[in-house]
Amino acid sequence: YPLDELMVAIDQYLEGARARTRPEKSVMIEYIMLAGVNDTVADARALGALIGARPVVVNLIPYNATDATPDYGRSRDEDTDAFLA
């Protein structure tokens, strides 16, 4: 899905949750870390800016390489640590 549509859907879900007296409700985003693709500090800042003040939990998933996707690799531990910092 395009990110702008995803963020609209998240906002609508959270508004509905608040309307049902569940203001503590949050959304979980699964983020697969791909070496050299989306694992830099700049990527982390862009993700933070996209999320903004929304009550979101981000689950960082280390990529597990397979023969089917040889162009992608697992992020180095130090890149993941920097992403989290």
Side-chain angles (χ1 to χ4, degrees):
Y1 288 95
L3 288 178
D4 57 338
E5 290 180 29
L6 177 63
M7 300 317 290
V8 167
I10 287 173
D11 290 340
Q12 289 172 344
Y13 171 79
L14 291 169
E15 287 173 22
R18 287 186 199 109
R20 293 184 305 272
T21 67
R22 297 193 60 177
E24 75 286 355
K25 197 72 172 170
S26 63
V27 173
M28 179 176 283
I29 293 176
E30 306 284 333
Y31 189 94
I32 300 175
M33 302 286 290
L34 300 170
V37 175
N38 66 348
D39 63 348
T40 67
V41 171
D43 294 319
R45 289 187 181 131
L47 179 61
L50 180 67
I51 292 168
R54 294 173 180 92
V56 170
V57 175
V58 178
N59 182 23
L60 296 181
I61 301 171
Y63 177 72
N64 293 311
T66 68
D67 293 339
T69 54
D71 294 337
Y72 298 108
R74 185 184 189 110
S75 298
R76 298 177 311 156
D77 289 342
E78 52 266 29
D79 293 331
T80 301
D81 291 344
F83 190 97
L84 288 168

